[in-house]
Amino acid sequence: MGTSSSFRWTSSDTIPSNFILPEKKRPHLSQVSALSSIPIIDLKNYTGDGDNNNVPDSSLLEKISHACEEYGFFQIINHGIPEDLCNKMMDAIAKLFESMPPEERKQFFTTDHTKQVKLFNYYINNDSANSQDKVQMWSESFSHPWHPIDDTSHLLPGNPPDYREVFGEYAKEIYELMNKLMRLISQGLGLEKDCLKKRVGENPSLRAQANYYPPCPEPELTLGLNVHTDLNALTVLRQSPGVTGLQVIKDGEWVAVDFAPNAFVINLGDQIQVLSNGRYKSVHHRAVTNKEQRRVTLAMFYGPNRDSVIGPVEELVDEHHPPLYRNYRYSEFQDEFFRQVETRRMVKEAFQFKK
Ligand code: OGA
Ligand code: NI
């Protein structure tokens, strides 16, 4: 396997063979539905502070609930997070990938998934029977904890010089937003507003993952990120302005997530699917590449810590809705996830009761 720095995004008009997916795993971009995208939800009239008894208006909860049931994905606008801060964050990430000095690159690059701060590439197994080869995804990812940022800030890269500061500010804003979203999603399920947050548990695991997708001369032959569901509870994703690439499965078809100005893409992870007893969906998605523009995204993940016990919330279980999943410790779920790495993930299925 090459080192991190051997891969410098070709200047040729073909991609190196270690990026070429077997036919059936390619994106087949002409088959992606041009018709629908995911719902866009306006938070303009939602103040969302958890300290009062303010119940959000029912049409907002209905929209969120519908999006969570039907798509597992939505975008939010008028969320109150300054666009300028988000743009600075995305610029800092682009710089981080594009101009990280080789020594720093070496320091962060790892295949050890237990590292707190890590630069890495995703691979999938080339499952042709006689091949042990792995296919590399057309992306690079950088992952580290995001809250409380003061504890880990010193572990973050010193380049670009404003990365730590901008990230710290960004993380604070996202923490508030994450809390708001967890309340809305709880209320959407008809639960107390704190219910899901309590069930995800104390000391949640809060990790950030920046993804960098260089322009790709042959987008039909490769993927930026393979098909997956997020294994955590909730993800807040920011994309670099104007460049699309995220696609989600809707009714068995791939649908492109349109770019919406100053929006965040929100998606539910496997833990919300389990907690909601299958009512809300953790949906398969992928990132595709394009020939013209590099794309940068920042995913902020919110999930349980390894000791939290996750299972369907009792209020959502009754004789018509028997429990679909058994209770498990999140460490079991993560261990199953790492057993399945580089394959198409089917993690929560391992915790599902057999019909
Ligand atoms: C992820 C993810 C999508 C994107 O990081 O889990 O799905 O468009 N990212 O980068
Ligand atoms: Ni994802």
Side-chain angles (χ1 to χ4, degrees):
M1 188 170 55
T3 64
S4 60
S5 51
S6 67
F7 178 46
R8 282 291 77 201
W9 324 114
T10 179
S11 55
S12 117
D13 55 6
T14 59
I15 66 174
S17 60
N18 59 315
F19 291 94
I20 300 179
L21 287 164
E23 167 68 26
K24 65 178 194 309
K25 294 192 170 171
R26 292 179 194 168
H28 301 283
L29 296 169
S30 62
Q31 290 166 26
V32 173
S33 168
L35 291 176
S36 54
S37 193
I38 60 173
I40 295 184
I41 296 178
D42 192 337
L43 294 185
K44 188 170 57 234
N45 297 320
Y46 178 64
T47 54
D49 48 58
D51 301 333
N52 57 31
N53 290 320
N54 212 357
V55 177
D57 79 76
S58 59
S59 81
L60 176 60
L61 287 185
E62 270 164 36
K63 280 181 199 147
I64 294 212
S65 197
H66 180 257
C68 293
E69 284 175 352
E70 295 294 321
Y71 292 83
F73 267 86
F74 52 96
Q75 302 202 65
I76 52 169
I77 55 171
N78 296 316
H79 41 69
I81 302 186
E83 183 165 15
D84 184 48
L85 172 63
C86 299
N87 290 341
K88 272 196 210 148
M89 187 71 255
M90 302 317 280
D91 288 346
I93 289 171
K95 279 205 200 100
L96 178 132
F97 284 107
E98 284 166 2
S99 53
M100 190 182 276
E103 334 60 90
E104 216 169 31
R105 198 163 251 289
K106 232 185 253 154
Q107 177 199 332
F108 289 122
F109 194 84
T110 181
T111 54
D112 175 359
H113 65 74
T114 65
K115 284 264 162 62
Q116 281 272 74
V117 181
K118 59 194 175 212
L119 180 68
F120 60 100
N121 298 119
Y122 280 107
Y123 294 84
I124 61 172
N125 283 323
N126 184 347
D127 50 13
S128 65
N130 53 2
S131 168
Q132 285 290 331
D133 293 351
K134 290 174 178 183
V135 180
Q136 189 176 333
M137 300 293 98
W138 194 266
S139 62
E140 199 159 51
S141 298
F142 185 64
S143 157
H144 59 78
W146 65 267
H147 187 83
I149 193 63
D150 300 339
D151 298 356
T152 49
S153 177
H154 63 284
L155 300 174
L156 300 184
N159 285 296
D162 60 348
Y163 187 82
R164 290 178 190 174
E165 190 189 327
V166 174
F167 188 85
E169 257 181 78
Y170 186 80
K172 262 188 220 142
E173 297 279 354
I174 298 295
Y175 190 70
E176 294 306 314
L177 178 64
M178 205 64 100
N179 283 329
K180 271 187 206 176
L181 290 165
M182 288 297 283
R183 290 196 284 268
L184 285 169
I185 294 167
S186 286
Q187 288 173 304
L189 284 165
L191 302 169
E192 288 290 318
K193 61 178 187 285
D194 301 339
C195 178
L196 288 179
K197 187 174 177 175
K198 282 194 190 136
R199 297 298 296 250
V200 170
E202 303 275 296
N203 304 318
S205 152
L206 300 171
R207 295 198 58 85
Q209 182 176 314
N211 304 300
Y212 184 83
Y213 308 96
C216 175
E218 297 183 289
E220 282 287 2
L221 301 185
T222 186
L223 280 169
L225 281 187
N226 190 32
V227 184
H228 68 281
T229 62
D230 292 358
L231 79 159
N232 58 317
L234 190 64
T235 303
V236 172
L237 183 88
R238 185 80 189 188
Q239 328 183 54
S240 47
V243 194
T244 60
L246 176 60
Q247 302 185 339
V248 309
I249 293 264
K250 170 70 177 139
D251 301 329
E253 270 194 81
W254 284 107
V255 169
V257 172
D258 294 336
F259 176 77
N262 195 20
F264 290 97
V265 178
I266 312 301
N267 71 288
L268 308 183
D270 294 347
Q271 306 317 308
I272 299 266
Q273 177 162 334
V274 171
L275 288 164
S276 72
N277 199 27
R279 217 179 108 188
Y280 285 179
K281 301 294 186 298
S282 170
V283 167
H284 282 99
H285 54 284
R286 67 184 183 186
V288 301
T289 62
N290 77 82
K291 286 187 184 176
E292 286 82 28
Q293 288 172 292
R294 63 135 160 83
R295 178 164 175 265
V296 176
T297 66
L298 176 56
M300 303 289 265
F301 297 124
Y302 173 87
N305 74 47
R306 284 179 64 79
D307 295 325
S308 296
V309 175
I310 302 291
V313 172
E314 295 74 27
E315 285 99 311
L316 302 176
V317 174
D318 59 33
E319 59 175 312
H320 303 293
H321 305 91
L324 297 180
Y325 303 93
R326 69 169 175 88
N327 288 357
Y328 52 82
R329 210 169 275 282
Y330 190 58
S331 56
E332 291 177 67
F333 200 91
Q334 277 188 320
D335 294 348
E336 179 66 26
F337 168 80
F338 286 115
R339 263 196 293 283
Q340 296 189 21
V341 141
E342 294 169 12
T343 65
R344 184 179 170 121
R345 301 180 200 164
M346 300 282 271
V347 183
K348 57 189 170 307
E349 288 73 5
F351 299 88
Q352 202 164 350
F353 288 121
K354 302 276 176 296
K355 295 254 161 63

